[in-house]
Amino acid sequence: MTLDRWLSRIPIDSPSAFMKQVPTIIGFAIAAVIAAVPNGVPVTNGPLFIAGIALVAVATVLALVVPWGRLHPEWAVVIPVLSLFAVGLLRLGTGSAASPFAVLTLLPFVWIATEAGRINILIAALGTFVVLIAPIVVDGVGHTAGDVVRAFFSPVIYLIVAIVINEIAHRMRIQLAAAREASEQQQQLLAQAVQAQDELVLNEARLKTANRLIQSIWNAVTEQSVIGTDLDGLIDVWNPGAEKMFGITEKEVLDAKHRIVDFHLDSELSDRLQDMDARFTTVASTDEFSALVDTVRAGSADVRDWTYVRPDGKRVSVQVAATPRLDENGHRVGFIFVATDMTQAREFARLKDEFVGLISHELRTPLSSILGYLELMRDDEESPLSEEQQQYLSVAERNAHRLLRLVGDLLFTAQVESGRFPLDLKDVELGGVVSASVESARPVAANSGVTLVGDVPESPVELRADPLRLGQAVDNLISNAVKFTPSGGTVTVSLRCEGEQAVIAVTDTGIGIPAVELSQLSQRFFRASTATRNAVPGVGLGLSITKAIVTAHGGRLDIASEEGVGTSISIVLPVETPRPVVDAIPRAEVAP
């Protein structure tokens, strides 16, 4: 068996105790050799000599086989104590007090003194005292006074030495523990530094990739101008879209230190400032830049139509979305203005409105003629129609009236899009308008199996308004509610006063509208997905007309709906209605 294989069998928990025992083993081996050689140290008591050798052998075996690492550290002192007693036996067996092997006492003594704990000082001192006093006790007589003095004086010296050794060992253990802890912390810091370095390299690569992506996107945005400013409106960001829109490069803009108001119409900024001063009368706005960012400063994004002025004097109609620029701490450091050129879109809308208006005018004349001739045929007494012909005539007449109403709606929406349509304001009792609309819709509701409930207060609700247009708005809401409510459902029309506002609410138990579509309901020709899915007839003009009428009266339209539950639409009107919009279109052209 090789030495390496033999050492591999040593339990991993005991090498520390065994290694501390090695010096004692070597010392005893040398003593045994000296005692065995001729003319060496004579063995005066063979049994005690052998007992000492045997005891140190037992201590060595215990150092090897006992798992001291699993026991309390204080138990390990058993090995040097046994070795110390073995030295005493060896000394008694080789001349007692005259034995030259008393020096071996230092080996287990130092081991005991270096162990943690102050109790080991006493153990080392007492053990040494026992070893040194043993010859005097065993021999009894034949010792000089000097031997006795040494036997008692030496342990005191050993005690002092044990105190010094224990303290030095204690301090060394503290320093070793601190060094080990510092080493572990250093290893942890090194590992963290390596990890941080790896993450830094990875983040740097990601940052470069993100920067390239952002730069690519930034260069690709050529259809919208993106202009960034500081808190005072000085331009510091100018994208390729802005270069295309204004015909001026970023370098030219930044070198000239342009402010964004330099590219706006002064008249529009002045009008906006006047509107702000009218709403906030406590502070007059003098900074033109405030006209662009007052809403953003209040914490909301602002989308508004403006007119940009190019350096060559050309004007560009744009829709601008203004938002704040934030730093890494979330503090506002400037503003971003994203503008979309609306010139073509507005021209297209104008042409579309002109086309709708033209078609409406062109259709009204033949439809009126058709209705006139249908009425003549119905009233012709010389050639009366049969009952079947009368039925056919009624269908044609009903559909002609339907087309005429549709043409009127188209013409009205064209007037709304142009920004002007006539209002004939007068003192109106709103309860009468609502009641009339409810009574007009009762036959249709009854035919559809829908219960129509009117809730109008007895006290009059008066305001200045156009009764014809308000009636048209209420009719549209009730008609929609009945159409979108299945048989057996209920439509409730109520009128109430809330402070200085009158509220007309039309609530149904119909099919409802998806929440994502509520914001689009007032757009022309828009129809909710629930309407198309359930094949409810209509063209999507009713709500847009209603909203235009309500807005012209200075009110608003509130819509709440839940799919499968029902819809509630409220007309909110101020008691004091603003002056009517200027009539730019002949009243005779407005369809009833």
Side-chain angles (χ1 to χ4, degrees), residues 504-567:
I504 305 170
V506 179
T507 305
D508 63 58
T509 59
I511 58 179
I513 304 164
V516 296
E517 298 178 358
L518 291 179
S519 61
Q520 306 176 63
L521 287 180
S522 58
Q523 296 179 7
R524 283 194 302 172
F525 305 110
F526 176 80
R527 305 200 68 222
S529 58
T530 48
T532 56
R533 192 163 57 242
N534 290 276
V536 179
V539 293
L541 289 175
L543 273 181
S544 63
I545 292 174
T546 300
K547 182 178 181 180
I549 294 173
V550 172
T551 302
H553 282 81
R556 70 175 189 272
L557 201 64
D558 294 339
I559 304 175
S561 183
E562 183 176 351
E563 190 172 359
V565 176
T567 303

Side-chain angles (χ1 to χ4, degrees), residues 435-471:
S435 297
S437 295
V438 170
E439 293 305 318
S440 298
R442 284 196 187 280
V444 177
N447 290 335
S448 301
V450 176
T451 302
L452 184 59
V453 178
D455 182 12
V456 179
E458 294 183 359
S459 57
V461 179
E462 297 181 347
L463 73 163
R464 284 193 60 79
D466 186 331
L468 179 63
R469 291 303 179 193
L470 280 186

Side-chain angles (χ1 to χ4, degrees), residues 23-24 26-28 31 83-84 87 90 100-109:
T24 302
I26 295 173
F28 267 78
S83 299
L84 192 60
V87 172
L90 181 66
F101 299 128
V103 69
L104 292 178
T105 305
L106 288 173
L107 298 176
F109 168 80

Side-chain angles (χ1 to χ4, degrees), residues 88-302:
L89 293 173
L90 181 66
R91 188 180 177 211
L92 290 174
T94 55
S96 193
S99 175
F101 299 128
V103 69
L104 292 178
T105 305
L106 288 173
L107 298 176
F109 168 80
V110 172
W111 180 353
I112 297 171
T114 56
E115 289 297 314
R118 301 302 183 186
I119 188 64
N120 291 317
I121 298 174
L122 295 177
I123 293 174
L126 289 175
T128 305
F129 176 74
V130 170
V131 171
L132 296 178
I133 202 67
I136 297 176
V137 174
V138 173
D139 294 343
V141 294
H143 295 283
T144 64
D147 293 336
V148 175
V149 171
R150 281 194 301 272
F152 284 92
F153 178 70
S154 295
V156 175
I157 301 302
Y158 274 96
L159 175 63
I160 296 173
V161 173
I163 294 173
V164 174
I165 292 174
N166 188 271
E167 181 62 24
I168 292 174
H170 174 68
R171 294 187 179 184
M172 289 183 64
R173 276 191 294 270
I174 293 176
Q175 293 176 357
L176 182 62
R180 186 179 294 111
E181 183 179 358
S183 177
E184 292 176 355
Q185 291 180 351
Q186 188 177 19
Q187 292 296 328
Q188 292 177 357
L189 291 175
L190 181 60
Q192 292 175 359
V194 172
Q195 183 180 1
Q197 177 67 22
D198 294 341
E199 291 179 355
L200 181 62
V201 173
L202 180 60
N203 290 336
E204 184 178 3
R206 290 175 177 172
L207 181 61
K208 290 181 179 178
T209 303
N211 284 337
R212 286 194 296 268
L213 177 61
I214 292 173
Q215 190 63 40
S216 299
I217 296 174
W218 182 257
N219 293 332
V221 179
T222 58
E223 297 305 316
Q224 283 80 30
S225 76
V226 181
I227 302 174
T229 72
D230 62 10
L231 293 173
D232 298 321
L234 182 66
I235 296 174
D236 53 15
V237 174
W238 188 267
N239 82 319
E243 293 184 1
K244 177 181 176 182
M245 182 175 291
F246 290 92
I248 182 173
T249 65
E250 179 182 17
K251 185 177 184 305
E252 292 172 328
V253 173
L254 299 183
D255 289 346
K257 297 187 180 302
H258 279 295
R259 302 178 75 239
I260 191 170
V261 293
D262 298 339
F263 300 100
H264 276 264
L265 272 180
D266 292 337
S267 58
E268 289 184 348
L269 295 175
S270 299
D271 292 343
R272 174 64 178 158
L273 289 173
Q274 290 177 2
D275 179 60
M276 290 166 56
D277 291 340
R279 290 185 291 115
F280 308 107
T281 55
T282 56
V283 180
S285 300
T286 57
D287 181 14
E288 291 182 330
F289 185 58
S290 297
L292 304 178
V293 298
D294 69 310
T295 303
V296 182
R297 285 171 176 167
S300 303
D302 183 53

